Amino acid sequence: MLFNSLPFLFFFLPITYFVFWRLRARTSRYVWLTVTGYAFYSFWDYRFCALMALSTLISYTAGLAMLRWPTGLPRRLALWIPIVLDLSLLGYFKYAGFTLTSFQGVASWLGYTVDVPTLNIVLPVGISFYTFHTITYIVDCYRGVITPTRNLAEFSAYVSLFAQLVAGPIVRFRQIEADLDDVEHARTRRDLERAWSFFALGMCKKVLIADAIASVIDPALANPAALTTLDAWLAAVGYTYQLYFDFSGYSDMAVGLGLMFGLRLPQNFDSPYKADGPADFWRRWHISLSTVLRDYLYIPLGGNRRGVTRTYVNLLLTMVIGGLWHGAAWTFVAWGGYHGVLLALERACGTTWQRVPRPLRQIVTFLLVVVGWVLFRSTTYQMAAAWLHRMFVPEAGGQMMTSPVLPLALAVAAIVAHTMPNTFELPHRWNGAAIAGLAVLFLAVMAVLYSGHQTPFLYFQF
Amino acid sequence: MRYLRLRTVLPAMLLATFVADGVTRAMPVTTWTFRAWEGLVVNSRPTTSFEPLGRFDSPVAFGDLANMGNLPWMRVHRRETFTIDAYGFRNPPGRAESDQVTVLLLGDSFATGSGVSDDLTLSGQLTSTWGHTTYSMAPMLPRAVSLAAFAQMLHMKPGGWVVHQQTYAYTEAHARLTEPAKHPPVSAIERVKRSFRADLRPLRILANQLWKSLQNDVWLANPFTGAVRRARLLNGDDMLFIAGESAPEGVSPDTAKVIAEAVSYSKGLRDEAARLGLRYLAVLVPIKTAVYQHLLAPPGAAAVPPGTVTETERQLEAAGIEVLNLFEPLTARATSALPRHQYVYWRDDTHWNPAGIATAAEAIAGVIAQGRPNGR
């Protein structure tokens, strides 16, 4: 069930909302959020509800253990055992098949023939996200950043909150703890205007911009080797905007849904295509992931405190793992490594890069990001190579994308992404004309939903 | 103005859409369709072809090929009234009880009169123009044993006819064991239930129509053009055909085998009709491609009957079944009408039009009058 689907809009959301606000006690609201979270997840695959429940129990128990043992070996075991278990589950479901086929590939390259079993492992939706939720909770408890909760219902509600369950943002417990603790005092009207504004804007970004771009470039990218140079660039730029509006649209909808229940989810995008350097880009793109990688991987590895070489290694390693988090494919690893190299290069350039005029830095950064998305979007190295070849080796022949939808959608996307305030910067206090305009756009969204021509959120596959 | 807030406007829009979704499900599906067929089939019953006592009436119905190919400029708008009786077949109310039926019509969508108004269908023209009161149970094909129930319902007397229109080879496997029964009109509640079972949402039909209007090769690519073939006639007009449809002169052994099964089915019907004192006439209607292939630009092609029609006729005659082959009459009329920009099949549809049906009715009436097919 997607946020932009009729069963969600007509049944799930109204029922969840009305029952939530009829319940008064804190625990009953926790239980309801947990129940609705599992119900939401079961629409994807009910079999994996048990997996999420197991992950929840493991982390909750780890927190209790840390309350019991404030120091010493038991506390360290309470940190590492659950993390190993959580990562093992993630590793099995997400990377087992990839590991085996990669091993087979390397062996073959070395001249050995190795037979590996074909594993038909179904990837549980959202496992990358809720695993990071639970791991950050365990580590924060260990570090003393937060006090572990004794309330299983509260913790379950946090892990299974439907708004952020399957595609983020990655919400740390400490970011939502205050709202959860105060959930019985949440007031209906306080954030409802803002909630619907976020939700509607997110829907419009996803359905009217991202999906419009996808409708033209997806068929063209079935064979990137056949594109003209112009169309190869249009497809790359198109995917750049498609991914941003798809994912940020989803994040906006998640924030809006959280606000409908008195929960303030963190910002996930801060106008990333206005960035003036790779580091700035990663302060603005998928903020919840990049900060998790920074706080739980880069800094523990030493960050930039262990010399220049080690800093570069840490950057590269963090970004490669970040790439791998997105999916079990070498193209994701390459994409992560590419951004690791960019970050290292920017650091190496020092103040030289900062002396470049900001508009030029923004343009260069944007173009570098576009090239990176080619790796991200490609399913194989061959596809990426063909696409990049078409982009950088001028070719006139080939199949043109002639639909006027693409330039129109790209123009709108560019204006919004590069010049306008992002959703978190808006005041969300709309006058009558703006509300009428949003209502018309929402009507267009409903028409698209009814026609069945929408695509799933891109980040669901991660 | 205090209610003009997103927190009231958007939920109100969702609620209004939800209500509209429910209300439109309760309405006849024919409200949303471009022609009768799709709207009246969805609420049929096991023993009926269409929704009992259903009705479609549109002054701007158009053809299936223009819809399949999403080619609005190829539409030939016409009035289509489509009336279903209480038994779920396309006949005027009361005909089944009239005690005047002399012809029971079987067949597919050609016999049904897809795209044609009630009085201009084959049964309508046989009745009104030629005086042979005809009851159509098309497009349902009955098992032979079911004929008796229909003959009894219609009080058909010995000497009546079972006229079986055939365009494609339908075998016993396509036939249904059925007895006619009267049904009440479909209630609104039943419509809503069926809409969920069939995943039929009128709002989705409307949304898809809007989406298709954008898929016009200007805004978005039209992915449907491959479904149809647009060809230029000798008079300069364009006509649509099903893409890939051909009318070769020969038949493969597999096709001959299927035809043999279809003829076996016809023989079963003929034998049962004979047992009931009725005569059986197989009427072969060629596909549109066969009738018009010699009239396509550039000139030069000859009007050759398709192998399937020739082989079917041969096998039916070998089985002792009376058969009327309409290839020559339809082709002749198509040729003579072309300079006047008149046709025997709709330009935007797979089916014949009232002129084509008139040709068929005249030929069938001739057989009935003379007692033998094709003047033989």
Side-chain angles (χ1 to χ4, degrees):
Chain A
M1 183 164 44
L2 304 171
F3 292 163
N4 58 327
S5 69
L6 299 173
F8 180 84
L9 293 171
F10 287 160
F11 297 105
F12 184 88
L13 182 59
I15 293 171
T16 304
Y17 180 85
F18 282 115
V19 172
F20 178 86
W21 290 105
R22 289 296 173 278
L23 298 168
R24 294 293 172 197
R26 183 196 302 188
T27 301
S28 56
R29 286 186 170 179
Y30 290 156
V31 170
W32 180 244
L33 287 176
T34 302
V35 165
T36 53
Y38 277 86
F40 181 80
Y41 195 74
S42 67
F43 274 96
W44 293 96
D45 196 328
Y46 68 91
R47 297 172 298 173
F48 294 118
C49 287
L51 191 67
M52 185 168 64
L54 176 66
S55 188
T56 303
L57 280 173
I58 289 172
S59 306
Y60 171 74
T61 307
L64 292 182
M66 291 186 200
L67 282 174
R68 169 70 177 82
W69 292 290
T71 58
L73 177 64
R75 186 179 180 81
R76 287 198 297 278
L77 287 175
L79 168 71
W80 285 110
I81 292 176
I83 289 178
V84 168
L85 284 172
D86 276 342
L87 289 178
S88 298
L89 287 172
L90 179 65
Y92 171 74
F93 282 101
K94 197 163 178 179
Y95 301 106
F98 168 69
T99 306
L100 286 175
T101 52
S102 299
F103 173 71
Q104 188 180 41
V106 170
S108 170
W109 183 66
L110 290 172
Y112 297 98
T113 304
V114 175
D115 284 327
V116 298
T118 305
L119 302 177
N120 294 314
I121 301 173
V122 177
L123 178 64
V125 168
I127 190 171
S128 303
F129 291 94
Y130 70 71
T131 300
F132 269 34
H133 291 147
T134 53
I135 289 177
T136 58
Y137 173 77
I138 296 167
V139 174
D140 283 352
C141 289
Y142 180 81
R143 288 175 176 173
V145 174
I146 55 173
T147 304
T149 177
R150 293 181 186 277
N151 192 327
L152 178 58
E154 180 189 23
F155 188 68
S156 296
Y158 157 67
V159 176
S160 65
L161 181 66
F162 72 90
Q164 42 84 11
L165 180 56
V166 292
I170 301 170
V171 181
R172 303 185 215 185
F173 187 74
R174 57 172 133 146
Q175 291 173 310
I176 206 175
E177 186 181 14
D179 289 340
L180 279 173
D181 286 345
D182 203 35
V183 77
E184 75 273 29
H185 297 126
R187 286 171 293 158
T188 320
R189 288 184 190 276
R190 179 186 66 189
D191 291 320
L192 208 52
E193 186 71 10
R194 196 174 160 81
W196 276 104
S197 181
F198 265 92
F199 190 76
L201 289 171
M203 277 264 257
C204 292
K205 285 161 79 172
K206 155 66 178 154
V207 175
L208 299 181
I209 301 180
D211 285 356
I213 295 172
S215 69
V216 181
I217 69 171
D218 278 350
L221 286 174
N223 186 12
L227 294 172
T228 62
T229 296
L230 174 62
D231 277 355
W233 273 100
L234 281 176
V237 171
Y239 183 72
T240 299
Y241 290 126
Q242 178 198 346
L243 185 62
Y244 170 59
F245 283 100
D246 188 287
F247 196 14
S248 68
Y250 176 89
S251 295
D252 289 343
M253 294 172 75
V255 168
L257 290 170
L259 285 171
M260 288 183 196
F261 299 91
L263 303 171
R264 288 166 292 180
L265 302 185
Q267 183 177 10
N268 214 12
F269 293 88
D270 185 15
S271 304
Y273 295 152
K274 294 178 185 172
D276 57 14
D280 191 34
F281 174 77
W282 281 102
R283 282 191 288 270
R284 296 166 176 267
W285 177 273
H286 202 174
I287 298 168
S288 63
L289 174 68
S290 62
T291 52
V292 162
L293 290 173
R294 179 196 64 199
D295 295 341
Y296 299 95
L297 186 60
Y298 177 69
I299 290 175
L301 285 174
N304 60 0
R305 299 190 308 270
R306 303 227 179 134
V308 171
T309 307
R310 183 61 185 265
T311 300
Y312 293 157
V313 168
N314 290 342
L315 280 171
L316 198 60
L317 192 59
T318 301
M319 295 311 296
V320 164
I321 290 174
L324 199 56
W325 174 89
H326 282 82
W330 288 109
T331 46
F332 289 123
V333 174
W335 169 78
Y338 170 77
H339 274 276
V341 167
L342 290 181
L343 288 169
L345 281 174
E346 185 186 16
R347 185 172 274 275
C349 286
T351 55
T352 308
W353 171 247
Q354 296 302 321
R355 285 198 290 268
V356 174
R358 187 161 188 265
L360 186 57
R361 278 187 281 141
Q362 287 177 309
I363 292 169
V364 170
T365 303
F366 180 70
L367 291 173
L368 289 171
V369 166
V370 167
V371 169
W373 289 136
V374 171
L375 290 169
F376 190 86
R377 172 64 170 79
S378 300
T379 50
T380 61
Y381 279 134
Q382 291 78 8
M383 179 179 170
W387 191 353
L388 289 168
H389 181 264
R390 281 287 172 169
M391 284 169 71
F392 290 102
V393 177
E395 292 274 359
Q399 200 154 356
M400 291 284 292
M401 294 183 287
T402 54
S403 169
V405 166
L406 184 62
L408 185 63
L410 290 183
V412 170
I415 290 169
V416 173
H418 295 284
T419 68
M420 292 178 65
N422 63 56
T423 325
F424 272 81
E425 291 169 334
L426 294 171
H428 297 284
R429 285 190 296 274
W430 306 104
N431 60 24
I435 289 175
L438 271 174
V440 168
L441 291 177
F442 199 72
L443 200 61
V445 165
M446 295 302 294
V448 173
L449 296 192
Y450 264 97
S451 74
H453 283 92
Q454 68 269 34
T455 56
F457 289 104
L458 292 172
Y459 260 69
F460 274 8
Q461 60 189 305
F462 309 132
Chain B
M1 288 299 285
R2 58 190 271 244
Y3 293 109
L4 195 64
R5 293 281 181 270
L6 279 182
R7 65 173 183 262
T8 47
V9 167
L10 295 184
M13 286 176 69
L14 284 176
L15 179 63
T17 310
F18 181 72
V19 169
D21 189 299
V23 166
T24 53
R25 285 173 191 265
M27 296 168 67
V29 182
T30 49
T31 313
W32 320 104
T33 53
F34 71 98
R35 61 172 186 174
W37 194 278
E38 286 77 10
L40 289 171
V41 158
V42 75
N43 282 313
S44 64
R45 297 188 193 274
T47 60
T48 72
S49 292
F50 299 103
E51 175 184 327
L53 297 167
R55 182 169 165 79
F56 175 89
D57 187 1
S58 169
V60 289
F62 54 90
D64 54 3
L65 293 174
N67 188 60
M68 272 167 63
N70 193 24
L71 302 170
W73 58 91
M74 282 296 302
R75 293 175 187 171
V76 178
H77 289 288
R78 60 269 197 177
R79 181 167 210 108
E80 184 181 3
T81 56
F82 205 109
T83 308
I84 309 300
D85 65 10
Y87 294 93
F89 301 105
R90 187 183 187 182
N91 298 283
R95 178 161 295 177
E97 296 85 4
S98 66
D99 281 353
Q100 292 176 356
V101 172
T102 58
V103 176
L104 175 62
L105 179 63
L106 316 179
D108 55 26
S109 51
F110 280 81
T112 308
S114 179
V116 168
S117 275
D118 292 333
D119 53 336
L120 297 172
T121 61
L122 185 55
S123 63
Q125 293 198 42
L126 279 172
T127 303
S128 59
T129 307
W130 300 100
H132 303 295
T133 306
T134 302
Y135 188 87
S136 169
M137 65 178 297
M140 182 187 286
L141 290 170
R143 296 267 181 89
V145 296
S146 299
L147 279 184
F150 278 86
Q152 188 179 5
M153 174 188 87
L154 300 169
H155 299 114
M156 289 184 75
K157 300 173 183 52
W161 287 80
V162 174
V163 173
H164 183 181
Q165 169 266 319
Q166 300 175 28
T167 299
Y168 303 102
Y170 292 110
T171 68
E172 186 79 27
H174 297 99
R176 269 200 257 172
L177 190 67
T178 182
E179 276 201 20
K182 272 192 173 178
H183 300 276
V186 176
S187 68
I189 291 175
E190 208 173 331
R191 285 188 205 284
V192 174
K193 283 186 195 171
R194 280 181 181 235
S195 75
F196 281 102
R197 279 202 294 270
D199 194 24
L200 177 76
R201 294 179 229 171
L203 288 189
R204 181 163 63 189
I205 295 174
L206 290 176
N208 274 322
Q209 286 171 357
L210 180 65
W211 190 261
K212 278 178 95 170
S213 70
L214 294 174
Q215 291 175 305
N216 54 7
D217 282 332
V218 173
W219 287 104
L220 292 172
N222 180 2
F224 305 102
T225 49
V228 300
R229 176 172 65 99
R230 195 166 140 202
R232 179 65 49 92
L233 296 165
L234 292 174
N235 65 0
D237 288 344
D238 285 345
M239 184 173 263
L240 294 177
F241 301 86
I242 295 177
E245 186 180 67
S246 63
E249 284 184 59
V251 294
S252 65
D254 285 341
T255 304
K257 195 173 163 202
V258 173
I259 291 173
E261 289 174 24
V263 167
S264 171
Y265 169 57
S266 292
K267 188 168 180 300
L269 290 172
R270 189 278 311 269
D271 292 343
E272 179 64 13
R275 192 185 71 77
L276 297 168
L278 306 173
R279 289 183 69 174
Y280 175 89
L281 176 68
V283 178
L284 304 182
V285 178
I287 57 174
K288 185 175 168 184
T289 303
V291 172
Y292 276 93
Q293 61 190 359
H294 70 290
L295 297 174
L296 298 177
V304 177
T308 50
V309 172
T310 309
E311 176 65 15
T312 304
E313 185 179 22
R314 187 191 70 77
Q315 290 197 33
L316 284 167
E317 286 181 338
I321 295 172
E322 295 179 272
V323 58
L324 173 64
N325 185 344
L326 289 178
F327 176 78
E328 282 180 18
L330 283 170
T331 312
R333 184 152 181 183
T335 307
S336 64
L338 192 73
R340 298 190 301 278
H341 298 273
Q342 292 173 353
Y343 308 94
V344 292
Y345 286 67
W346 295 110
R347 285 194 300 119
D348 66 342
D349 199 292
T350 47
H351 300 94
W352 53 14
N353 63 10
I357 296 172
T359 307
E362 183 180 359
I364 294 169
V367 168
I368 292 174
Q370 295 171 27
R372 59 187 185 279
N374 291 338
R376 295 197 286 269

